[in-house]
Amino acid sequence: MATKPGNLTEWPWASLGNFKYLLLAPFVGHSIYSFFMGKEESQRDTSYIFILLYLLMRLVHHQIWISVSRYRTAKGDNRIVDKSIEFDQVDRERNWDDQIILNVLIFYIAYLKFAQTHHLPLWRTDGIIITALIHMGPVEFLYYWFHRALHHHFLYSRYHSHHHSSIVTEPVTGKLSSNIFLAFCIFAI
């Protein structure tokens, strides 16, 4: 954890431990119910199922990369630092899936609250291009300056030192400090 943990350093559901996935149970139940109880084929709403598949794909994707990384570290090839991963680091980085849970909660709530989202197309090439351009431009620019701000002593000691305490880098190591601070920003609004 950070040397001087700041406000909302922990995720709101940290006290639930592995039961944090129960937060998604009402939405998963609603997804399955709305899909199977649609009276006709045209009335079935597959968007909820796609949100559920998004959750599962991200969890599997992250777990694959974590496993590959730990295998490569244990094998000893291509190490940056000649150390193996310590249990303290594994324990510190065990909440890598909290950001995925937050994203899925936001997707479900937004889809439930905003009727406009029910008519979005599954694929739009111009949307992908615009998203890529926005990501390459303002998002990367803001992320760079946001990361620089995290190195200021006030934010560093409360949020970012957690990230730099990991000696053996893993795919989830880089996400920890920015995700904790992102959650702080979202829940502060």
Side-chain angles (χ1 to χ4, degrees):
M1 200 38 120
T3 54
K4 298 180 206 169
N7 295 332
L8 294 175
T9 302
E10 298 261 332
W11 290 87
W13 48 79
S15 61
L16 295 175
N18 288 333
F19 293 111
K20 62 188 171 189
Y21 288 101
L22 290 177
L23 292 170
L24 300 175
F27 299 108
V28 171
H30 183 261
S31 300
I32 294 169
Y33 178 81
S34 65
F35 181 74
F36 286 112
M37 293 303 164
K39 297 194 176 25
E40 296 178 19
E41 189 81 24
S42 62
Q43 289 181 332
R44 290 188 179 168
D45 193 359
T46 58
S47 299
Y48 292 114
I49 297 297
F50 283 129
I51 294 172
L52 181 60
L53 288 174
Y54 169 78
L55 164 73
L56 295 175
M57 285 183 349
R58 285 205 50 198
L59 289 172
V60 168
H61 179 259
H62 278 71
Q63 189 58 56
I64 287 171
W65 283 111
I66 290 168
S67 299
V68 167
S69 171
R70 289 186 182 162
Y71 169 75
R72 300 282 294 175
T73 300
K75 189 176 172 190
D77 294 346
N78 303 327
R79 285 189 187 170
I80 295 172
V81 178
D82 195 25
K83 284 182 88 174
S84 60
I85 192 166
E86 297 177 1
F87 291 115
D88 291 341
Q89 180 178 342
V90 173
D91 290 342
R92 215 175 26 253
E93 296 175 354
R94 77 188 183 311
N95 64 347
W96 59 268
D97 53 349
D98 287 335
Q99 180 69 37
I100 299 171
I101 291 172
L102 177 65
N103 286 347
V104 170
L105 285 173
I106 290 171
F107 288 166
Y108 272 125
I109 292 169
Y111 193 74
L112 285 169
K113 292 288 182 190
F114 303 110
Q116 308 92 296
T117 59
H118 294 239
H119 307 292
L120 294 174
L122 190 59
W123 180 267
R124 282 188 57 180
T125 305
D126 60 337
I128 298 293
I129 293 169
I130 290 169
T131 302
L133 290 174
I134 289 172
H135 182 76
M136 287 186 298
V139 171
E140 284 295 323
F141 175 78
L142 291 172
Y143 186 81
Y144 170 77
W145 286 105
F146 175 70
H147 186 250
R148 293 267 319 243
L150 284 174
H151 281 259
H152 183 270
H153 64 85
F154 180 80
L155 294 175
Y156 184 84
S157 63
R158 285 163 178 78
Y159 300 102
H160 202 57
S161 62
H162 179 78
H163 158 72
H164 283 282
S165 61
S166 297
I167 303 300
V168 179
T169 56
E170 290 191 283
V172 295
T173 303
K175 293 181 160 202
L176 293 173
S177 62
S178 60
N179 287 347
I180 291 170
F181 193 69
L182 173 69
F184 169 74
C185 293
I186 287 173
F187 288 110
I189 293 175

